[in-house]
Amino acid sequence: MGRTGMERRKRLNLRIKRDLQVWILKRTVFSMIIGMIIGFIILYFFSHRELGETYWQAHITIRRVSDLLVPVMVAAGVAGFLGSLLLLIFFPQKIAGPVYRLERDFVGHLQEGDLTFRFRLRKDDPFQTLPQAINRAVESLQSRVREVARGVEAARKALEEGKVEEARRELQRVEEFLKNNLKF
Amino acid sequence: MGRTGMERRKRLNLRIKRDLQVWILKRTVFSMIIGMIIGFIILYFFSHRELGETYWQAHITIRRVSDLLVPVMVAAGVAGFLGSLLLLIFFPQKIAGPVYRLERDFVGHLQEGDLTFRFRLRKDDPFQTLPQAINRAVESLQSRVREVARGVEAARKALEEGKVEEARRELQRVEEFLKNNLKF
């Protein structure tokens, strides 16, 4: 942890959190492709019919393909856009959900001094590496606090048994442990 | 914190983290729209010319608009897709970056028992509410640990001054404080 924040930031690149990035890209690109397919089907279907039915009957007024196709293009665009949107509409929630639960569950418990709490995400949530890392850190804090509490109890018991010097040494040990294992 | 995880999960809905969700949707929809515009321009531009230049010269072989347009549609689709992709390519990184920094900076410091560390995101990162919540929780933990350390030091000093009863009471106070303010 000796490096500074600035140094670390420089190393940030496309390879970080590759799984998460691939997942996001897949989701968005997939919805784009579905939208395009919908648009293409409409466009192709209408352009396939249009000339046969309309053009041969009205070839004097229509001089450009675009005259026929602009409404179809608009229809295809709107349909494709709505198709993509339908797939994308739940995507923000997929990302916001875990962040929400992180703030509410994990941060909430930490705020109350609860180090026994373990953070969990749903199985299909993104950010799956986060709970493991967080829980390992909280576990580590928990064991440090336990060690302090154990020392305090031991010192108090020693005092009650009249072992003053032992209590003093135990307290010194606790102070030493706090200094070396917790930065506060 | 009395409610169970299941009860909480039910309340999860579209309104949570609204800013984050709106931001994600805006980003993805914007790139979709740019892609569509690129596709439409190509499609319109080519269909605008096509009939004038090609059709009147070859109206025997070309009987359907789609015969003219399929290559143009494919070109428009590919161009639009690439345009969208170009805008989307940095989007996953935007989301992965803060999560990466959360794991590396915040979780890393917590893992090492560092409660003085404050988590920061870049100004334009999403998840801006997260650092505030996390830092408040860590600050709260920090002040609890400080209180414990203060008590331990007071007890040790009292012992060194021969005030055994005062030290015993101080240690009891610390134990009480630990029990009430930290769950470990």
Side-chain angles (χ1 to χ4, degrees):
Chain A
M1 288 290 138
R3 290 153 293 153
T4 71
M6 284 318 288
E7 276 176 316
R8 281 185 199 138
R9 284 195 174 179
K10 278 181 198 156
R11 294 197 294 119
L12 205 60
N13 60 43
L14 265 169
R15 282 174 309 168
I16 59 141
K17 300 260 131 221
R18 185 187 280 273
D19 291 347
L20 178 60
Q21 294 202 39
V22 167
W23 175 81
I24 293 166
L25 210 56
K26 264 189 193 163
R27 283 286 297 240
T28 48
V29 167
F30 176 72
S31 82
M32 255 164 52
I33 288 174
I34 295 293
M36 272 172 53
I37 288 173
I38 293 172
F40 275 11
I41 287 172
I42 293 176
L43 212 54
Y44 184 81
F45 180 70
F46 275 89
S47 70
H48 208 69
R49 293 171 40 184
E50 209 60 56
L51 210 52
E53 292 178 6
T54 315
Y55 185 77
W56 296 111
Q57 292 151 32
H59 56 94
I60 295 149
T61 52
I62 296 159
R63 302 186 63 95
R64 285 188 292 243
V65 181
S66 59
D67 292 338
L68 284 168
L69 276 192
V70 165
V72 176
M73 274 166 64
V74 170
V78 169
F81 179 74
L82 290 181
S84 286
L85 202 64
L86 209 70
L87 286 170
L88 275 180
I89 206 82
F90 295 107
F91 175 66
Q93 206 179 345
K94 266 303 220 199
I95 291 175
V99 177
Y100 176 69
R101 282 194 287 279
L102 181 75
E103 277 187 33
R104 188 195 54 187
D105 295 346
F106 164 64
V107 179
H109 279 83
L110 206 62
Q111 174 82 40
E112 298 186 354
D114 183 359
L115 302 174
T116 62
F117 181 76
R118 295 297 171 263
F119 179 53
R120 270 179 190 78
L121 287 177
R122 298 182 195 178
K123 228 178 178 173
D124 56 344
D125 274 343
F127 313 112
Q128 286 292 344
T129 57
L130 203 55
Q132 210 192 341
I134 281 178
N135 290 339
R136 209 169 38 222
V138 173
E139 258 169 53
S140 146
L141 269 187
Q142 182 183 18
S143 74
R144 285 160 214 243
V145 171
R146 265 191 196 153
E147 181 59 28
V148 170
R150 199 205 51 74
V152 170
E153 197 193 351
R156 197 248 311 149
K157 279 187 176 157
L159 269 195
E160 280 170 0
E161 288 165 14
K163 297 168 183 164
V164 176
E165 180 53 25
E166 196 181 308
R168 201 194 55 77
R169 258 186 286 123
E170 186 65 43
L171 286 180
Q172 256 181 341
R173 202 154 39 218
V174 171
E175 281 186 285
E176 200 69 22
F177 180 85
L178 273 166
K179 215 178 82 184
N180 295 330
N181 291 280
L182 283 162
K183 210 172 152 196
F184 52 93
Chain B
M1 289 290 136
R3 290 155 293 151
T4 69
M6 284 317 289
E7 275 176 317
R8 280 183 200 140
R9 286 196 171 179
K10 278 182 197 155
R11 293 197 293 121
L12 204 62
N13 60 43
L14 265 169
R15 285 174 306 168
I16 58 141
K17 300 262 131 220
R18 184 188 279 272
D19 291 348
L20 178 61
Q21 294 201 37
V22 167
W23 174 81
I24 293 167
L25 210 55
K26 264 188 193 162
R27 284 285 299 240
T28 48
V29 167
F30 175 72
S31 82
M32 254 164 54
I33 288 174
I34 295 295
M36 272 172 53
I37 288 173
I38 293 172
F40 275 11
I41 288 172
I42 292 176
L43 211 53
Y44 184 81
F45 179 70
F46 275 90
S47 69
H48 208 69
R49 295 170 38 182
E50 209 60 58
L51 209 51
E53 292 178 4
T54 314
Y55 185 77
W56 295 112
Q57 292 150 32
H59 57 93
I60 296 151
T61 51
I62 296 159
R63 305 185 61 96
R64 286 187 291 243
V65 180
S66 59
D67 292 339
L68 284 168
L69 277 192
V70 164
V72 176
M73 275 165 64
V74 170
V78 169
F81 178 75
L82 290 180
S84 286
L85 202 63
L86 209 69
L87 286 169
L88 275 180
I89 206 84
F90 296 106
F91 176 67
Q93 207 179 346
K94 267 304 222 194
I95 291 176
V99 177
Y100 176 69
R101 282 194 286 280
L102 181 76
E103 278 187 32
R104 188 196 53 188
D105 296 346
F106 165 63
V107 178
H109 279 82
L110 206 63
Q111 173 85 38
E112 297 186 354
D114 183 359
L115 302 174
T116 63
F117 181 77
R118 294 297 170 264
F119 179 53
R120 268 177 192 81
L121 287 177
R122 297 181 195 180
K123 227 178 177 175
D124 56 343
D125 273 344
F127 312 111
Q128 286 293 341
T129 57
L130 203 54
Q132 210 191 342
I134 281 178
N135 290 340
R136 210 168 40 224
V138 173
E139 258 169 54
S140 147
L141 268 187
Q142 183 183 17
S143 74
R144 285 161 215 243
V145 171
R146 265 189 195 154
E147 182 59 27
V148 170
R150 199 205 52 73
V152 170
E153 196 192 352
R156 197 249 311 149
K157 278 184 176 161
L159 268 196
E160 279 170 0
E161 290 164 12
K163 297 168 184 165
V164 176
E165 180 53 24
E166 196 182 307
R168 202 193 55 78
R169 257 185 286 121
E170 186 65 43
L171 285 181
Q172 256 181 342
R173 205 154 38 221
V174 171
E175 282 186 286
E176 200 68 22
F177 181 84
L178 273 166
K179 215 177 84 183
N180 294 330
N181 292 280
L182 283 162
K183 210 173 151 195
F184 54 91

